[in-house]
Amino acid sequence: MRLASEAPRRDPPRVDLPLLDVLRVLASVAVVRHHMRQDCLFGVGFGLPLFLVILFALATSSRRSEPLVDFTRRKARFLLVPWVRWSLFYVALVVVADAFRGRPPLARLDPALLWTGGHRSLWFLPFAAIALVPAKVLVRAARPRRASAVILLAAAAGLCANTAAVSALESTRLPVVPAKLWVRFTPALAWGLALGQSTRVRDDGERRRLLFVVAALAVLSFFASPLRDHPE
């Protein structure tokens, strides 16, 4: 019989992020439209970036206490196992299809698949799995700091990364996969941190004001971004 002192520790309840379900639906519609019609909802390619912001926001709002190694292992299993499974499926499909058409079965395989997976649209899964590690480190560093300061600093970092940093990278000769592609979406980490840390603000009015500033900076970031018309 388990003693009361030996009862399992429970993680603190998560504070719900505002409009999370609405953002998920909006991102889903945008991604599906892009894949079906090869264009963007409202003329803006925000579906995948919004999914990544949601992913990072959930990770950085969690109050779960666990070692970094355990966190990394758990997120890798959550993100990379499906990535490997679907990558193998797509690679096998391409190999079989080319063989039936009389083409060299391995002709379409190249080193970029190590980063994107068996299909180009799967590239964000390894990116997210790796980016979640510094996200967790940033959350731990932010805990002693005032939440409002962390939120505004993260939003400002997202603005700078989406303008100056991305613009500077685009002028280099680095390969698109994975270097340029990953850096293009790195600002989602900052926006996710800003959204996730908003759960630390107890006053509803202050939280709304901070989220309004974050949203305004995100819109400004889009209009100032050198990749605002990029199809990804």
Side-chain angles (χ1 to χ4, degrees), residues 148-225:
S148 57
V150 174
I151 294 168
L152 295 176
L153 182 60
L159 173 63
C160 295
N162 203 38
T163 53
V166 172
S167 178
L169 184 79
E170 286 300 303
S171 63
T172 68
R173 295 184 179 180
L174 291 174
V176 174
V177 180
K180 290 185 178 181
L181 195 57
W182 283 27
V183 172
R184 287 171 186 171
F185 287 83
T186 297
L189 176 57
W191 298 117
L193 178 63
L195 181 58
Q197 290 293 287
S198 68
T199 60
R200 293 174 53 199
V201 181
R202 302 303 182 189
D203 182 78
D204 291 339
E206 182 184 4
R207 185 187 303 115
R208 284 193 294 268
R209 289 190 293 272
L210 287 168
L211 289 175
F212 176 81
V213 173
V214 171
L217 290 177
V219 172
L220 176 62
S221 171
F222 164 72
F223 284 107
S225 173

Side-chain angles (χ1 to χ4, degrees), residues 83-141:
W83 178 66
V84 171
R85 184 185 300 123
W86 280 105
S87 293
L88 293 175
F89 170 79
Y90 278 116
V91 168
L93 187 64
V94 168
V95 169
V96 171
D98 285 349
F100 271 105
R101 294 171 182 171
R103 300 173 181 171
L106 303 180
R108 286 195 279 175
L109 303 183
D110 61 72
L113 293 177
L114 295 175
W115 300 104
T116 63
H119 192 279
R120 179 178 173 82
S121 63
L122 300 176
W123 71 267
F124 71 96
L125 289 171
F127 164 75
I130 293 175
L132 280 172
V133 178
K136 191 67 172 180
V137 174
L138 288 173
V139 168
R140 292 184 176 182

Side-chain angles (χ1 to χ4, degrees), residues 10-14 63-65:
R10 294 184 178 180
D11 296 320
R14 181 196 299 275
R63 299 179 184 179
R64 183 172 185 171
S65 179

